[in-house]
Amino acid sequence: MPPRPRYDATDDPPLAIRDSPIHGRGGFATARIPAGTLLIEYAGERIGADEARRRAAAHAGDATAPHTFVFAIDDDWAVDAGVAGNDARWLNHSCAPNCDAVVEDGRIWIETARVVQPGEELTYDYQLVLDEPHTAAAKARYPCRCGAAACRGTMLLHRRRPR
């Protein structure tokens, strides 16, 4: 199987950051991008899980900035793109995304899930999970504005109830 296309730190991935109809700023394809392309690394400060929880909690009660750029790599490590981050931090959530977040060798990559055409907003499903129950109030703190036909209304991952 041939290696998949990848844009590394020395390449400029084919995306531009501009105002988004989904939320705030967003990343938009500036060229056709093949499916399976490792488009951009989610870069930033590498921090431990305890520090990631502390930073997320510090933002949780702030109505002006309820979300952070902290992205978990695994149970022990995370990346905070709010510190030394790159354009990947501007990619928005969608319930019908054209990209996926993948972890390879302790690094987070945004990979195209299908062919992306020029002008399309690049999105992935954040699949957020909270340490608390995903109540209606919790879901309302993380609203989704993607506009997809199957939008679940929240960036939180659907949790199945235990039987």
Side-chain angles (χ1 to χ4, degrees):
M1 181 154 129
R4 60 188 172 202
R6 176 189 301 240
Y7 291 89
D8 64 29
T10 61
D11 296 326
D12 288 326
L15 68 93
I17 305 303
R18 60 178 191 254
D19 291 341
S20 165
I22 294 174
H23 181 258
R25 307 286 282 161
F28 293 81
T30 58
R32 183 181 181 281
I33 307 169
T37 299
L38 290 177
L39 181 62
I40 188 169
E41 182 177 3
Y42 192 90
E45 180 184 15
R46 189 176 175 98
I47 57 176
D50 289 341
E51 178 63 10
R53 282 189 288 278
R54 188 195 69 72
R55 290 182 190 186
H59 287 278
D62 183 353
T64 62
H67 310 296
T68 68
F69 292 120
V70 177
F71 195 127
I73 295 171
D74 56 30
D75 290 341
D76 299 318
W77 295 100
V79 170
D80 184 352
V83 180
N86 62 0
D87 286 345
R89 69 183 172 201
W90 302 116
L91 301 188
N92 281 313
H93 163 86
S94 175
C95 296
N98 52 21
C99 296
D100 291 315
V102 296
V103 176
E104 281 190 3
D105 300 322
R107 296 167 68 185
I108 303 165
W109 289 89
I110 305 302
E111 177 181 44
T112 53
R114 61 169 175 77
V115 173
V116 179
Q117 299 300 329
E120 276 190 78
E121 184 165 3
L122 298 158
T123 60
Y124 63 97
D125 188 338
Y126 288 3
Q127 299 183 13
L128 298 178
V129 176
L130 302 177
D131 290 334
E132 65 187 83
H134 289 190
T135 62
K139 291 176 185 177
R141 287 196 320 267
Y142 298 90
C144 177
R145 300 177 185 98
C146 73
C151 179
R152 59 184 183 264
T154 182
M155 292 182 277
L156 297 179
L157 181 64
H158 177 70
R159 288 177 135 181
R160 297 187 189 274
R161 294 180 187 209
R163 294 183 181 217

PDB file of all heavy atoms in Angstrom, residues 109-144:
ATOM      1  N   TRP A 109      -2.897  14.396  14.102  1.00  0.00           N
ATOM      2  CA  TRP A 109      -2.991  14.863  12.726  1.00  0.00           C
ATOM      3  C   TRP A 109      -4.451  15.029  12.332  1.00  0.00           C
ATOM      4  O   TRP A 109      -5.317  14.277  12.780  1.00  0.00           O
ATOM      5  CB  TRP A 109      -2.354  13.855  11.764  1.00  0.00           C
ATOM      6  CG  TRP A 109      -0.872  13.802  11.862  1.00  0.00           C
ATOM      7  CD1 TRP A 109      -0.128  13.019  12.695  1.00  0.00           C
ATOM      8  CD2 TRP A 109       0.052  14.577  11.109  1.00  0.00           C
ATOM      9  NE1 TRP A 109       1.206  13.271  12.501  1.00  0.00           N
ATOM     10  CE2 TRP A 109       1.349  14.220  11.535  1.00  0.00           C
ATOM     11  CE3 TRP A 109      -0.086  15.537  10.112  1.00  0.00           C
ATOM     12  CZ2 TRP A 109       2.497  14.785  11.004  1.00  0.00           C
ATOM     13  CZ3 TRP A 109       1.051  16.109   9.573  1.00  0.00           C
ATOM     14  CH2 TRP A 109       2.328  15.739  10.015  1.00  0.00           C
ATOM     15  N   ILE A 110      -4.711  15.993  11.482  1.00  0.00           N
ATOM     16  CA  ILE A 110      -6.022  16.116  10.858  1.00  0.00           C
ATOM     17  C   ILE A 110      -5.882  15.494   9.472  1.00  0.00           C
ATOM     18  O   ILE A 110      -5.038  15.916   8.672  1.00  0.00           O
ATOM     19  CB  ILE A 110      -6.470  17.594  10.761  1.00  0.00           C
ATOM     20  CG1 ILE A 110      -6.432  18.261  12.152  1.00  0.00           C
ATOM     21  CG2 ILE A 110      -7.842  17.679  10.121  1.00  0.00           C
ATOM     22  CD1 ILE A 110      -7.270  17.604  13.222  1.00  0.00           C
ATOM     23  N   GLU A 111      -6.705  14.474   9.223  1.00  0.00           N
ATOM     24  CA  GLU A 111      -6.642  13.695   7.985  1.00  0.00           C
ATOM     25  C   GLU A 111      -7.960  13.839   7.240  1.00  0.00           C
ATOM     26  O   GLU A 111      -9.031  13.773   7.855  1.00  0.00           O
ATOM     27  CB  GLU A 111      -6.402  12.226   8.328  1.00  0.00           C
ATOM     28  CG  GLU A 111      -6.400  11.310   7.128  1.00  0.00           C
ATOM     29  CD  GLU A 111      -6.190   9.855   7.517  1.00  0.00           C
ATOM     30  OE1 GLU A 111      -6.817   9.396   8.496  1.00  0.00           O
ATOM     31  OE2 GLU A 111      -5.411   9.186   6.837  1.00  0.00           O
ATOM     32  N   THR A 112      -7.890  14.017   5.937  1.00  0.00           N
ATOM     33  CA  THR A 112      -9.122  14.123   5.157  1.00  0.00           C
ATOM     34  C   THR A 112      -9.807  12.761   5.087  1.00  0.00           C
ATOM     35  O   THR A 112      -9.173  11.749   4.805  1.00  0.00           O
ATOM     36  CB  THR A 112      -8.857  14.658   3.740  1.00  0.00           C
ATOM     37  OG1 THR A 112      -7.841  13.860   3.126  1.00  0.00           O
ATOM     38  CG2 THR A 112      -8.413  16.117   3.777  1.00  0.00           C
ATOM     39  N   ALA A 113     -11.114  12.752   5.365  1.00  0.00           N
ATOM     40  CA  ALA A 113     -11.901  11.522   5.352  1.00  0.00           C
ATOM     41  C   ALA A 113     -12.462  11.232   3.955  1.00  0.00           C
ATOM     42  O   ALA A 113     -12.887  10.119   3.686  1.00  0.00           O
ATOM     43  CB  ALA A 113     -13.044  11.630   6.357  1.00  0.00           C
ATOM     44  N   ARG A 114     -12.461  12.236   3.130  1.00  0.00           N
ATOM     45  CA  ARG A 114     -12.927  12.116   1.748  1.00  0.00           C
ATOM     46  C   ARG A 114     -12.240  13.199   0.934  1.00  0.00           C
ATOM     47  O   ARG A 114     -11.515  14.028   1.492  1.00  0.00           O
ATOM     48  CB  ARG A 114     -14.450  12.265   1.680  1.00  0.00           C
ATOM     49  CG  ARG A 114     -14.959  13.624   2.178  1.00  0.00           C
ATOM     50  CD  ARG A 114     -16.419  13.831   1.844  1.00  0.00           C
ATOM     51  NE  ARG A 114     -16.984  15.041   2.376  1.00  0.00           N
ATOM     52  CZ  ARG A 114     -16.795  16.261   1.882  1.00  0.00           C
ATOM     53  NH1 ARG A 114     -16.010  16.453   0.828  1.00  0.00           N
ATOM     54  NH2 ARG A 114     -17.363  17.316   2.423  1.00  0.00           N
ATOM     55  N   VAL A 115     -12.456  13.200  -0.362  1.00  0.00           N
ATOM     56  CA  VAL A 115     -11.916  14.273  -1.192  1.00  0.00           C
ATOM     57  C   VAL A 115     -12.560  15.588  -0.749  1.00  0.00           C
ATOM     58  O   VAL A 115     -13.768  15.657  -0.545  1.00  0.00           O
ATOM     59  CB  VAL A 115     -12.203  14.017  -2.693  1.00  0.00           C
ATOM     60  CG1 VAL A 115     -11.795  15.216  -3.529  1.00  0.00           C
ATOM     61  CG2 VAL A 115     -11.496  12.757  -3.158  1.00  0.00           C
ATOM     62  N   VAL A 116     -11.739  16.616  -0.579  1.00  0.00           N
ATOM     63  CA  VAL A 116     -12.234  17.938  -0.189  1.00  0.00           C
ATOM     64  C   VAL A 116     -11.980  18.889  -1.355  1.00  0.00           C
ATOM     65  O   VAL A 116     -10.869  18.954  -1.889  1.00  0.00           O
ATOM     66  CB  VAL A 116     -11.527  18.445   1.089  1.00  0.00           C
ATOM     67  CG1 VAL A 116     -12.038  19.825   1.473  1.00  0.00           C
ATOM     68  CG2 VAL A 116     -11.717  17.462   2.236  1.00  0.00           C
ATOM     69  N   GLN A 117     -13.017  19.609  -1.727  1.00  0.00           N
ATOM     70  CA  GLN A 117     -12.930  20.526  -2.858  1.00  0.00           C
ATOM     71  C   GLN A 117     -12.507  21.929  -2.408  1.00  0.00           C
ATOM     72  O   GLN A 117     -12.736  22.313  -1.256  1.00  0.00           O
ATOM     73  CB  GLN A 117     -14.291  20.605  -3.570  1.00  0.00           C
ATOM     74  CG  GLN A 117     -14.770  19.282  -4.132  1.00  0.00           C
ATOM     75  CD  GLN A 117     -13.817  18.694  -5.172  1.00  0.00           C
ATOM     76  OE1 GLN A 117     -13.132  19.406  -5.900  1.00  0.00           O
ATOM     77  NE2 GLN A 117     -13.765  17.365  -5.222  1.00  0.00           N
ATOM     78  N   PRO A 118     -11.887  22.706  -3.302  1.00  0.00           N
ATOM     79  CA  PRO A 118     -11.502  24.078  -2.951  1.00  0.00           C
ATOM     80  C   PRO A 118     -12.718  24.866  -2.445  1.00  0.00           C
ATOM     81  O   PRO A 118     -13.814  24.753  -2.993  1.00  0.00           O
ATOM     82  CB  PRO A 118     -11.001  24.665  -4.277  1.00  0.00           C
ATOM     83  CG  PRO A 118     -10.611  23.484  -5.097  1.00  0.00           C
ATOM     84  CD  PRO A 118     -11.541  22.376  -4.691  1.00  0.00           C
ATOM     85  N   GLY A 119     -12.508  25.624  -1.392  1.00  0.00           N
ATOM     86  CA  GLY A 119     -13.569  26.443  -0.821  1.00  0.00           C
ATOM     87  C   GLY A 119     -14.345  25.767   0.291  1.00  0.00           C
ATOM     88  O   GLY A 119     -15.030  26.442   1.063  1.00  0.00           O
ATOM     89  N   GLU A 120     -14.254  24.449   0.428  1.00  0.00           N
ATOM     90  CA  GLU A 120     -14.959  23.748   1.498  1.00  0.00           C
ATOM     91  C   GLU A 120     -14.308  24.042   2.837  1.00  0.00           C
ATOM     92  O   GLU A 120     -13.080  24.078   2.950  1.00  0.00           O
ATOM     93  CB  GLU A 120     -14.905  22.230   1.301  1.00  0.00           C
ATOM     94  CG  GLU A 120     -15.941  21.659   0.393  1.00  0.00           C
ATOM     95  CD  GLU A 120     -15.933  20.139   0.473  1.00  0.00           C
ATOM     96  OE1 GLU A 120     -16.476  19.587   1.456  1.00  0.00           O
ATOM     97  OE2 GLU A 120     -15.365  19.523  -0.449  1.00  0.00           O
ATOM     98  N   GLU A 121     -15.154  24.201   3.860  1.00  0.00           N
ATOM     99  CA  GLU A 121     -14.608  24.345   5.201  1.00  0.00           C
ATOM    100  C   GLU A 121     -14.157  22.967   5.689  1.00  0.00           C
ATOM    101  O   GLU A 121     -14.863  21.978   5.542  1.00  0.00           O
ATOM    102  CB  GLU A 121     -15.627  24.928   6.178  1.00  0.00           C
ATOM    103  CG  GLU A 121     -15.008  25.160   7.546  1.00  0.00           C
ATOM    104  CD  GLU A 121     -15.800  26.054   8.470  1.00  0.00           C
ATOM    105  OE1 GLU A 121     -16.904  26.492   8.104  1.00  0.00           O
ATOM    106  OE2 GLU A 121     -15.298  26.322   9.582  1.00  0.00           O
ATOM    107  N   LEU A 122     -12.969  22.922   6.259  1.00  0.00           N
ATOM    108  CA  LEU A 122     -12.391  21.691   6.795  1.00  0.00           C
ATOM    109  C   LEU A 122     -12.899  21.506   8.224  1.00  0.00           C
ATOM    110  O   LEU A 122     -12.741  22.403   9.067  1.00  0.00           O
ATOM    111  CB  LEU A 122     -10.865  21.774   6.778  1.00  0.00           C
ATOM    112  CG  LEU A 122     -10.285  21.931   5.377  1.00  0.00           C
ATOM    113  CD1 LEU A 122      -8.897  22.544   5.428  1.00  0.00           C
ATOM    114  CD2 LEU A 122     -10.267  20.591   4.670  1.00  0.00           C
ATOM    115  N   THR A 123     -13.519  20.367   8.495  1.00  0.00           N
ATOM    116  CA  THR A 123     -14.103  20.114   9.801  1.00  0.00           C
ATOM    117  C   THR A 123     -13.822  18.685  10.244  1.00  0.00           C
ATOM    118  O   THR A 123     -13.551  17.813   9.419  1.00  0.00           O
ATOM    119  CB  THR A 123     -15.638  20.297   9.773  1.00  0.00           C
ATOM    120  OG1 THR A 123     -16.205  19.381   8.831  1.00  0.00           O
ATOM    121  CG2 THR A 123     -16.021  21.728   9.398  1.00  0.00           C
ATOM    122  N   TYR A 124     -13.873  18.482  11.547  1.00  0.00           N
ATOM    123  CA  TYR A 124     -13.828  17.125  12.095  1.00  0.00           C
ATOM    124  C   TYR A 124     -14.753  17.081  13.307  1.00  0.00           C
ATOM    125  O   TYR A 124     -15.152  18.121  13.842  1.00  0.00           O
ATOM    126  CB  TYR A 124     -12.400  16.682  12.439  1.00  0.00           C
ATOM    127  CG  TYR A 124     -11.691  17.478  13.507  1.00  0.00           C
ATOM    128  CD1 TYR A 124     -11.661  17.035  14.817  1.00  0.00           C
ATOM    129  CD2 TYR A 124     -11.034  18.663  13.196  1.00  0.00           C
ATOM    130  CE1 TYR A 124     -10.987  17.752  15.793  1.00  0.00           C
ATOM    131  CE2 TYR A 124     -10.364  19.383  14.171  1.00  0.00           C
ATOM    132  CZ  TYR A 124     -10.351  18.925  15.470  1.00  0.00           C
ATOM    133  OH  TYR A 124      -9.695  19.635  16.437  1.00  0.00           O
ATOM    134  N   ASP A 125     -15.136  15.887  13.715  1.00  0.00           N
ATOM    135  CA  ASP A 125     -16.029  15.704  14.850  1.00  0.00           C
ATOM    136  C   ASP A 125     -15.188  15.745  16.118  1.00  0.00           C
ATOM    137  O   ASP A 125     -14.340  14.890  16.337  1.00  0.00           O
ATOM    138  CB  ASP A 125     -16.755  14.360  14.716  1.00  0.00           C
ATOM    139  CG  ASP A 125     -17.844  14.172  15.766  1.00  0.00           C
ATOM    140  OD1 ASP A 125     -17.802  14.829  16.827  1.00  0.00           O
ATOM    141  OD2 ASP A 125     -18.741  13.339  15.516  1.00  0.00           O
ATOM    142  N   TYR A 126     -15.416  16.750  16.958  1.00  0.00           N
ATOM    143  CA  TYR A 126     -14.626  16.904  18.176  1.00  0.00           C
ATOM    144  C   TYR A 126     -14.826  15.743  19.143  1.00  0.00           C
ATOM    145  O   TYR A 126     -13.934  15.443  19.932  1.00  0.00           O
ATOM    146  CB  TYR A 126     -14.982  18.201  18.895  1.00  0.00           C
ATOM    147  CG  TYR A 126     -14.504  19.478  18.245  1.00  0.00           C
ATOM    148  CD1 TYR A 126     -13.834  19.494  17.022  1.00  0.00           C
ATOM    149  CD2 TYR A 126     -14.740  20.692  18.856  1.00  0.00           C
ATOM    150  CE1 TYR A 126     -13.416  20.681  16.449  1.00  0.00           C
ATOM    151  CE2 TYR A 126     -14.321  21.888  18.301  1.00  0.00           C
ATOM    152  CZ  TYR A 126     -13.671  21.881  17.092  1.00  0.00           C
ATOM    153  OH  TYR A 126     -13.260  23.068  16.533  1.00  0.00           O
ATOM    154  N   GLN A 127     -16.002  15.135  19.165  1.00  0.00           N
ATOM    155  CA  GLN A 127     -16.287  14.000  20.041  1.00  0.00           C
ATOM    156  C   GLN A 127     -15.851  14.283  21.478  1.00  0.00           C
ATOM    157  O   GLN A 127     -15.191  13.463  22.125  1.00  0.00           O
ATOM    158  CB  GLN A 127     -15.618  12.723  19.515  1.00  0.00           C
ATOM    159  CG  GLN A 127     -16.095  12.327  18.152  1.00  0.00           C
ATOM    160  CD  GLN A 127     -15.476  11.032  17.666  1.00  0.00           C
ATOM    161  OE1 GLN A 127     -14.870  10.281  18.418  1.00  0.00           O
ATOM    162  NE2 GLN A 127     -15.624  10.764  16.382  1.00  0.00           N
ATOM    163  N   LEU A 128     -16.245  15.425  22.000  1.00  0.00           N
ATOM    164  CA  LEU A 128     -15.857  15.806  23.359  1.00  0.00           C
ATOM    165  C   LEU A 128     -16.508  14.882  24.387  1.00  0.00           C
ATOM    166  O   LEU A 128     -17.669  14.493  24.244  1.00  0.00           O
ATOM    167  CB  LEU A 128     -16.275  17.247  23.648  1.00  0.00           C
ATOM    168  CG  LEU A 128     -15.643  18.330  22.771  1.00  0.00           C
ATOM    169  CD1 LEU A 128     -16.196  19.698  23.151  1.00  0.00           C
ATOM    170  CD2 LEU A 128     -14.133  18.313  22.878  1.00  0.00           C
ATOM    171  N   VAL A 129     -15.751  14.548  25.416  1.00  0.00           N
ATOM    172  CA  VAL A 129     -16.244  13.731  26.516  1.00  0.00           C
ATOM    173  C   VAL A 129     -15.918  14.471  27.808  1.00  0.00           C
ATOM    174  O   VAL A 129     -14.775  14.877  28.022  1.00  0.00           O
ATOM    175  CB  VAL A 129     -15.591  12.329  26.518  1.00  0.00           C
ATOM    176  CG1 VAL A 129     -16.045  11.528  27.728  1.00  0.00           C
ATOM    177  CG2 VAL A 129     -15.909  11.588  25.228  1.00  0.00           C
ATOM    178  N   LEU A 130     -16.922  14.633  28.637  1.00  0.00           N
ATOM    179  CA  LEU A 130     -16.740  15.307  29.922  1.00  0.00           C
ATOM    180  C   LEU A 130     -16.619  14.280  31.036  1.00  0.00           C
ATOM    181  O   LEU A 130     -17.100  13.156  30.913  1.00  0.00           O
ATOM    182  CB  LEU A 130     -17.940  16.215  30.211  1.00  0.00           C
ATOM    183  CG  LEU A 130     -18.246  17.303  29.176  1.00  0.00           C
ATOM    184  CD1 LEU A 130     -19.502  18.067  29.582  1.00  0.00           C
ATOM    185  CD2 LEU A 130     -17.069  18.240  29.004  1.00  0.00           C
ATOM    186  N   ASP A 131     -15.998  14.690  32.142  1.00  0.00           N
ATOM    187  CA  ASP A 131     -15.907  13.827  33.313  1.00  0.00           C
ATOM    188  C   ASP A 131     -17.247  13.760  34.041  1.00  0.00           C
ATOM    189  O   ASP A 131     -17.454  12.907  34.880  1.00  0.00           O
ATOM    190  CB  ASP A 131     -14.824  14.333  34.281  1.00  0.00           C
ATOM    191  CG  ASP A 131     -13.424  14.136  33.725  1.00  0.00           C
ATOM    192  OD1 ASP A 131     -13.234  13.235  32.894  1.00  0.00           O
ATOM    193  OD2 ASP A 131     -12.524  14.898  34.126  1.00  0.00           O
ATOM    194  N   GLU A 132     -18.142  14.674  33.717  1.00  0.00           N
ATOM    195  CA  GLU A 132     -19.468  14.730  34.323  1.00  0.00           C
ATOM    196  C   GLU A 132     -20.491  14.088  33.382  1.00  0.00           C
ATOM    197  O   GLU A 132     -20.191  13.861  32.204  1.00  0.00           O
ATOM    198  CB  GLU A 132     -19.848  16.182  34.581  1.00  0.00           C
ATOM    199  CG  GLU A 132     -20.009  16.978  33.292  1.00  0.00           C
ATOM    200  CD  GLU A 132     -20.211  18.461  33.501  1.00  0.00           C
ATOM    201  OE1 GLU A 132     -19.200  19.150  33.666  1.00  0.00           O
ATOM    202  OE2 GLU A 132     -21.370  18.904  33.481  1.00  0.00           O
ATOM    203  N   PRO A 133     -21.696  13.795  33.874  1.00  0.00           N
ATOM    204  CA  PRO A 133     -22.727  13.257  32.982  1.00  0.00           C
ATOM    205  C   PRO A 133     -23.041  14.246  31.848  1.00  0.00           C
ATOM    206  O   PRO A 133     -22.994  15.460  32.042  1.00  0.00           O
ATOM    207  CB  PRO A 133     -23.941  13.084  33.901  1.00  0.00           C
ATOM    208  CG  PRO A 133     -23.374  12.984  35.279  1.00  0.00           C
ATOM    209  CD  PRO A 133     -22.137  13.853  35.264  1.00  0.00           C
ATOM    210  N   HIS A 134     -23.353  13.718  30.700  1.00  0.00           N
ATOM    211  CA  HIS A 134     -23.704  14.544  29.539  1.00  0.00           C
ATOM    212  C   HIS A 134     -25.192  14.888  29.605  1.00  0.00           C
ATOM    213  O   HIS A 134     -25.998  14.427  28.809  1.00  0.00           O
ATOM    214  CB  HIS A 134     -23.358  13.823  28.240  1.00  0.00           C
ATOM    215  CG  HIS A 134     -21.895  13.732  27.985  1.00  0.00           C
ATOM    216  ND1 HIS A 134     -21.390  13.297  26.794  1.00  0.00           N
ATOM    217  CD2 HIS A 134     -20.819  14.026  28.749  1.00  0.00           C
ATOM    218  CE1 HIS A 134     -20.071  13.320  26.833  1.00  0.00           C
ATOM    219  NE2 HIS A 134     -19.702  13.752  28.017  1.00  0.00           N
ATOM    220  N   THR A 135     -25.533  15.738  30.558  1.00  0.00           N
ATOM    221  CA  THR A 135     -26.911  16.183  30.754  1.00  0.00           C
ATOM    222  C   THR A 135     -27.277  17.209  29.688  1.00  0.00           C
ATOM    223  O   THR A 135     -26.416  17.688  28.936  1.00  0.00           O
ATOM    224  CB  THR A 135     -27.061  16.833  32.137  1.00  0.00           C
ATOM    225  OG1 THR A 135     -26.198  17.996  32.167  1.00  0.00           O
ATOM    226  CG2 THR A 135     -26.685  15.880  33.257  1.00  0.00           C
ATOM    227  N   ALA A 136     -28.551  17.575  29.655  1.00  0.00           N
ATOM    228  CA  ALA A 136     -29.001  18.609  28.718  1.00  0.00           C
ATOM    229  C   ALA A 136     -28.244  19.916  28.962  1.00  0.00           C
ATOM    230  O   ALA A 136     -27.868  20.607  28.012  1.00  0.00           O
ATOM    231  CB  ALA A 136     -30.500  18.820  28.833  1.00  0.00           C
ATOM    232  N   ALA A 137     -28.003  20.249  30.225  1.00  0.00           N
ATOM    233  CA  ALA A 137     -27.265  21.478  30.550  1.00  0.00           C
ATOM    234  C   ALA A 137     -25.822  21.398  30.058  1.00  0.00           C
ATOM    235  O   ALA A 137     -25.286  22.379  29.523  1.00  0.00           O
ATOM    236  CB  ALA A 137     -27.298  21.736  32.052  1.00  0.00           C
ATOM    237  N   ALA A 138     -25.191  20.231  30.229  1.00  0.00           N
ATOM    238  CA  ALA A 138     -23.814  20.059  29.752  1.00  0.00           C
ATOM    239  C   ALA A 138     -23.766  20.173  28.231  1.00  0.00           C
ATOM    240  O   ALA A 138     -22.881  20.833  27.675  1.00  0.00           O
ATOM    241  CB  ALA A 138     -23.255  18.714  30.204  1.00  0.00           C
ATOM    242  N   LYS A 139     -24.705  19.542  27.554  1.00  0.00           N
ATOM    243  CA  LYS A 139     -24.753  19.607  26.088  1.00  0.00           C
ATOM    244  C   LYS A 139     -24.949  21.043  25.615  1.00  0.00           C
ATOM    245  O   LYS A 139     -24.366  21.461  24.612  1.00  0.00           O
ATOM    246  CB  LYS A 139     -25.853  18.707  25.551  1.00  0.00           C
ATOM    247  CG  LYS A 139     -25.554  17.240  25.733  1.00  0.00           C
ATOM    248  CD  LYS A 139     -26.734  16.384  25.279  1.00  0.00           C
ATOM    249  CE  LYS A 139     -26.463  14.923  25.575  1.00  0.00           C
ATOM    250  NZ  LYS A 139     -27.615  14.084  25.223  1.00  0.00           N
ATOM    251  N   ALA A 140     -25.751  21.814  26.345  1.00  0.00           N
ATOM    252  CA  ALA A 140     -26.011  23.207  25.967  1.00  0.00           C
ATOM    253  C   ALA A 140     -24.763  24.073  26.087  1.00  0.00           C
ATOM    254  O   ALA A 140     -24.649  25.080  25.389  1.00  0.00           O
ATOM    255  CB  ALA A 140     -27.136  23.779  26.826  1.00  0.00           C
ATOM    256  N   ARG A 141     -23.817  23.695  26.959  1.00  0.00           N
ATOM    257  CA  ARG A 141     -22.567  24.459  27.095  1.00  0.00           C
ATOM    258  C   ARG A 141     -21.647  24.249  25.893  1.00  0.00           C
ATOM    259  O   ARG A 141     -20.704  25.006  25.690  1.00  0.00           O
ATOM    260  CB  ARG A 141     -21.837  24.058  28.382  1.00  0.00           C
ATOM    261  CG  ARG A 141     -22.483  24.574  29.641  1.00  0.00           C
ATOM    262  CD  ARG A 141     -21.551  24.504  30.849  1.00  0.00           C
ATOM    263  NE  ARG A 141     -20.739  23.324  30.954  1.00  0.00           N
ATOM    264  CZ  ARG A 141     -21.059  22.215  31.646  1.00  0.00           C
ATOM    265  NH1 ARG A 141     -22.208  22.141  32.278  1.00  0.00           N
ATOM    266  NH2 ARG A 141     -20.237  21.194  31.700  1.00  0.00           N
ATOM    267  N   TYR A 142     -21.887  23.180  25.124  1.00  0.00           N
ATOM    268  CA  TYR A 142     -21.064  22.847  23.967  1.00  0.00           C
ATOM    269  C   TYR A 142     -21.948  22.683  22.730  1.00  0.00           C
ATOM    270  O   TYR A 142     -22.017  21.603  22.142  1.00  0.00           O
ATOM    271  CB  TYR A 142     -20.266  21.559  24.243  1.00  0.00           C
ATOM    272  CG  TYR A 142     -19.321  21.712  25.396  1.00  0.00           C
ATOM    273  CD1 TYR A 142     -19.727  21.412  26.696  1.00  0.00           C
ATOM    274  CD2 TYR A 142     -18.029  22.194  25.202  1.00  0.00           C
ATOM    275  CE1 TYR A 142     -18.859  21.572  27.770  1.00  0.00           C
ATOM    276  CE2 TYR A 142     -17.166  22.353  26.271  1.00  0.00           C
ATOM    277  CZ  TYR A 142     -17.588  22.046  27.541  1.00  0.00           C
ATOM    278  OH  TYR A 142     -16.727  22.212  28.597  1.00  0.00           O
ATOM    279  N   PRO A 143     -22.622  23.775  22.320  1.00  0.00           N
ATOM    280  CA  PRO A 143     -23.561  23.651  21.200  1.00  0.00           C
ATOM    281  C   PRO A 143     -22.838  23.439  19.870  1.00  0.00           C
ATOM    282  O   PRO A 143     -21.716  23.900  19.671  1.00  0.00           O
ATOM    283  CB  PRO A 143     -24.284  24.995  21.207  1.00  0.00           C
ATOM    284  CG  PRO A 143     -23.279  25.949  21.783  1.00  0.00           C
ATOM    285  CD  PRO A 143     -22.527  25.139  22.823  1.00  0.00           C
ATOM    286  N   CYS A 144     -23.490  22.719  18.992  1.00  0.00           N
ATOM    287  CA  CYS A 144     -22.984  22.531  17.636  1.00  0.00           C
ATOM    288  C   CYS A 144     -23.787  23.427  16.706  1.00  0.00           C
ATOM    289  O   CYS A 144     -25.014  23.495  16.799  1.00  0.00           O
ATOM    290  CB  CYS A 144     -23.126  21.065  17.209  1.00  0.00           C
ATOM    291  SG  CYS A 144     -22.601  20.804  15.503  1.00  0.00           S
TER     292      CYS A 144
END
